[in-house]
Amino acid sequence: MADIEKVSINLSVVDLGQIDLLVDQGFYSSRTDFFRAAVRTQLGNHDEAIKQAVVRTSSVLGVISFDREDLQRMQHNNEQARIVVVGLLILNNDISPELAQATIKSIKVYGALRASPAVKAALADRMS
């Protein structure tokens, strides 16, 4: 897994004890293994809803990356991007805050955004 994000959750001691019992009984190799399996199961249960939402919003499902050349091309064509990503959006470090502001109209990320702190700050009012 190349791109991983860490999450924290609060559980009751009873729930955590049940998970530990399943791990001890060999159903899962670790707590992390249990949580990954549970998340995948739930995402699978909602697969159709996710696909429909992606279609409705003209979203990208997966990983998308923009670099300076991509945004300069859009700027040259007088275009502005409305970016909706389910997964990971990468705005490469070669993008200046000014170029990002000139070419990105809005950003919605269901997942993670990787960009320089300066670009994130420049686009803060365009992120929802």
Side-chain angles (χ1 to χ4, degrees):
M1 289 186 222
D3 295 306
I4 297 175
E5 293 289 324
K6 184 180 272 192
V7 288
S8 298
I9 62 171
N10 295 319
L11 293 174
S12 73
V13 293
V14 174
D15 290 342
L16 190 56
Q18 290 176 18
I19 293 166
D20 286 343
L21 178 63
L22 291 172
V23 170
D24 189 55
Q25 294 296 307
F27 289 97
Y28 299 94
S29 62
S30 64
R31 288 177 176 174
T32 299
D33 185 38
F34 171 85
F35 289 117
R36 283 189 186 128
V39 167
R40 287 185 186 117
T41 298
Q42 288 304 307
L43 291 174
N45 289 342
H46 298 285
D47 186 57
E48 191 58 36
I50 291 169
K51 287 179 183 173
Q52 288 177 5
V54 167
V55 169
R56 280 195 308 268
T57 59
S58 300
S59 302
V60 172
L61 180 60
V63 178
I64 187 166
S65 176
F66 290 93
D67 62 20
R68 182 175 41 82
E69 286 184 11
D70 295 324
L71 297 188
Q72 285 176 332
R73 196 174 310 112
M74 289 185 343
Q75 188 176 38
H76 179 74
N77 294 328
N78 293 319
E79 298 172 347
Q80 282 199 314
R82 288 186 171 97
I83 303 169
V84 181
V85 177
V86 179
L88 174 63
L89 170 61
I90 302 168
L91 300 176
N92 288 355
N93 288 333
D94 63 351
I95 296 172
S96 69
E98 297 78 20
L99 181 59
Q101 284 181 318
T103 56
I104 298 175
K105 186 168 183 86
S106 64
I107 294 177
K108 178 71 175 181
V109 177
Y110 299 95
L113 166 63
R114 295 223 177 113
S116 71
V119 167
K120 284 182 179 180
L123 296 174
D125 65 335
R126 300 169 193 206
M127 291 188 235
S128 59

